[in-house]
Amino acid sequence: MSGTVRLFVEGDLAADAAVAVTADQAHYLGRVMRLGAGDQLLVFNGRDGEWRAVVDALDKRGGRLTARRQSRPQSAEPDPADQPWLAFAPIKKIGTDFIAQKATELGAARLLPVITANTQTNRVRCDRLRATALEAAEQCGRLSLPDVLEPAALGQLALDWPKDRRLFLLDETGVQTGRARFLAGAVAEHPGPCGFLVGPEGGFIDGELDRLARLPFVTPVTLGPRILRAETACLAALAGWQTLAGDGR
Amino acid sequence: MSGTVRLFVEGDLAADAAVAVTADQAHYLGRVMRLGAGDQLLVFNGRDGEWRAVVDALDKRGGRLTARRQSRPQSAEPDPADQPWLAFAPIKKIGTDFIAQKATELGAARLLPVITANTQTNRVRCDRLRATALEAAEQCGRLSLPDVLEPAALGQLALDWPKDRRLFLLDETGVQTGRARFLAGAVAEHPGPCGFLVGPEGGFIDGELDRLARLPFVTPVTLGPRILRAETACLAALAGWQTLAGDGR
């Protein structure tokens, strides 16, 4: 149903369930997408799969839809617990919107802004990241939204990281030192849940890299000999993982 | 040598070779990067590898460097003939600069703008694409520049495409039709030189897809169940290929 409007909603979805939409969503449906009473769309809430729904009413204060029948079960998408996380240092110039959008398209289950020594900016508008991720999820056909966490210092990220989720550390210095492995080998050795950690434009400082690389759940990886920009590394890592081990294979 | 200035130059590189730089390059080296006589940098020309060089003189009209010794041989990089090509429909909103930059970082050997039925814009500033690709090559440590071809109509692209270079057609409708294969399987079957063809935001029209899919050198592929934006598909395809079969493995 390419071209069909897809909307993330909060309420439960079931046959003939009434679904409330916010004033912003009603504006988007009515004014931007020109939908009116009786028109069809797709809705999802991250729990009940995707449903065909029909517009009952839209006005300035909000609106109401009715869910009709399920178009895809929630199980059509991999369990978010099995999808990769992305921890990344915010980038001032291109902003984090770009990363949030692309990471959502590439199936990231969680976005974790992380503040490192060389991070250019501490200002991360998480509300905006969430809105960007939500819009990307609507457009790319996901059945779930990525979690967007509040920014954490690198040390805190390492402390909080679940020990049973392998953390692939993008380490561009690791090619020279021999510490980093290619992604395919690292994923073959650690085929379970994982995440990626991508440093800022200026890279990690040596102390950060050394401390991270010593953690038992961390594997330094490289994507090849070229020095990727931070945002390119985020996307390339997720795309590579989906191709090797995710739903792109 | 992270942080060291890298410059693409036209002239031949050899020990003690004098290397001319343009007025723009002299401005960049002198005014932006604050280099002066005696300062070191890295230079490459796409033929002779990468060389350490020293600044002799810079002024408004240009400048001169002297190559000292080779830091990497040209053979440190895969033969461009073995690297993927990227054919893509120009995108109005984000522009093609983004694609040129990321594709260069991800090792594309050739960029081929292609005009399809749904392509939003015929205006492609190839001089600007080349400048973007050159800058990306300088920054990411490549020893070569991607070729940037003039825009071609889709039919012409298909006619001109070398028959011994597999063309992986990004076909998001191919999941439903069963026509498209996952990238890993397609690359395993066709491990030689390849290229990717990514359609415009509105997708290929059916006639285009059918004609392309019937060509003997074309393999329709999918990157997974999510509907990627055109520029995301470009990057994900190249990143996936480097991870599976290129220098990211």
Side-chain angles (χ1 to χ4, degrees), chain A residues 102 105 226-227 229 231, chain B residues 102 105 226 229 231:
Chain A
K102 302 302 180 214
E105 288 180 69
R226 287 171 301 279
I227 298 166
R229 285 168 189 256
E231 75 275 12
Chain B
K102 301 305 179 213
E105 287 181 70
R226 288 172 300 281
R229 285 170 190 255
E231 75 275 12

Side-chain angles (χ1 to χ4, degrees), chain B residues 78-219:
Chain B
D79 186 339
D82 297 330
Q83 290 291 88
W85 294 3
L86 175 65
F88 63 98
I91 302 167
K92 203 169 182 176
K93 208 161 79 184
I94 66 146
T96 42
D97 284 356
F98 173 89
I99 292 175
Q101 180 188 81
K102 301 305 179 213
T104 302
E105 287 181 70
L106 293 167
R110 180 169 288 187
L111 304 180
L112 307 98
V114 56
I115 310 302
T116 72
N118 280 339
T119 300
Q120 297 161 311
T121 175
N122 292 331
R123 288 187 57 233
V124 182
R125 297 247 339 247
C126 284
D127 54 341
R128 196 168 144 173
L129 280 192
R130 286 189 192 102
T132 301
L134 188 152
E135 190 186 353
E138 288 176 342
Q139 293 196 6
C140 76
R142 272 179 72 147
L143 301 177
S144 62
L145 305 184
D147 293 329
V148 178
L149 269 57
E150 296 295 319
L154 185 59
Q156 192 64 44
L157 178 92
L159 275 177
D160 292 345
W161 193 268
K163 304 305 170 273
D164 54 356
R165 181 175 286 269
R166 179 61 37 177
L167 179 54
F168 295 124
L169 168 66
L170 274 286
D171 176 9
E172 66 188 33
T173 71
V175 180
Q176 287 96 47
T177 62
R179 181 163 62 188
R181 312 183 48 180
F182 284 125
L183 187 59
V187 168
E189 187 176 329
H190 302 287
C194 74
F196 293 95
L197 172 55
V198 179
E201 283 295 319
F204 293 107
I205 61 172
D206 286 344
E208 289 174 330
L209 271 180
D210 292 343
R211 277 197 301 277
L212 287 167
R214 276 202 300 270
L215 294 170
F217 52 91
V218 167
T219 299

Side-chain angles (χ1 to χ4, degrees), chain A residues 44 77 83-84 86 96-111 129-148 235 238 242, chain B residues 226-228 232:
Chain A
F44 66 109
E77 189 167 273
Q83 291 290 89
L86 176 65
T96 44
D97 284 355
F98 173 89
I99 292 175
Q101 180 188 84
K102 302 302 180 214
T104 302
E105 288 180 69
L106 293 167
R110 180 170 289 189
L111 305 179
L129 280 192
R130 286 188 191 101
T132 301
L134 189 153
E135 191 185 352
E138 289 176 341
Q139 292 197 7
C140 76
R142 272 178 72 146
L143 300 178
S144 63
L145 305 185
D147 292 330
V148 177
L235 312 194
L238 290 170
Q242 291 290 5
Chain B
R226 288 172 300 281
I227 297 167
L228 303 182
T232 313

